[in-house]
Amino acid sequence: MIEIIKPMDIEKRSFEIITELLGDREIPSEQELVVKRVIHTTADFDYADNLCFSEHAVRKGIEALKGGCDIVTDTQMARSGINKTILQKLGGQVHCFMSDEDVAAQAKERGVTRAIVSMEKASQLQKPCIFAVGNAPTALISLKEMIDEHKIAPALIIGVPVGFVNVVESKELIMETDIPYIVARGRKGGSNVAAAICNAMLYQIMR
């Protein structure tokens, strides 16, 4: 039977259904709204098991956002999906350098991906940043190298690229660092997932 639901109540009902279908599964309270937001975005309950969090990663991410940090994404899609109105109220903005002419030119000259160059460019930002990577494993690899070289110290890394080549391995590299992380282990992920995780934290601040 089709449920008759007012437009403003659709999301609320969706979260009620997600809670019902999760049943007795125990999700730490700090992580719960992030996990449910990702499931809401993807309709994929595997994320209840796939999402891995470093200690107090969500709390640290929220603290960084409250402090006015910026968010760096590896796709315009993720950038578009993040709630910029809330972020701007907190003093932050979203950056995606993937389409920048200087990034494209340097990547071609060096024979590397634009994701690598865009992460290097982001490392020059003069304020704390959350990195939300939903597409390019080379972005995570670049971040790991810069972390090891003490060139960058992200407030949080959201590592959820989707795909087959170096995807699993790049996520595991991030989990080896001392940087706070939220990682979707395995091959699943995507720009929509990266944006959903950012929004889950932003909405907790403004609720």
Side-chain angles (χ1 to χ4, degrees), residues 63-128:
E63 288 174 353
L65 290 167
K66 285 181 177 179
C69 81
D70 286 354
I71 298 175
V72 177
T73 71
D74 67 326
T75 65
Q76 296 295 343
M77 178 180 173
R79 180 181 179 278
S80 297
I82 293 170
N83 191 312
K84 287 171 280 296
T85 301
I86 297 176
L87 186 61
Q88 288 168 3
K89 287 180 180 178
L90 298 170
Q93 58 181 310
V94 187
H95 306 276
C96 181
F97 301 122
M98 292 288 285
S99 302
D100 290 7
E101 291 184 5
D102 59 330
V103 169
Q106 189 177 152
K108 184 177 181 180
E109 180 182 343
R110 291 167 54 189
V112 298
T113 68
R114 285 185 294 168
I116 290 174
V117 180
S118 68
M119 293 299 110
E120 293 172 351
K121 184 171 181 176
S123 72
Q124 304 304 310
L125 293 170
Q126 299 299 307
K127 64 184 302 188

Side-chain angles (χ1 to χ4, degrees), residues 24-39:
D24 296 330
R25 183 188 295 272
E26 292 186 6
I27 300 173
S29 57
E30 181 182 312
Q31 303 168 10
E32 183 179 2
L33 292 180
V34 172
V35 173
K36 288 182 177 179
R37 175 67 58 181
V38 172
I39 293 173

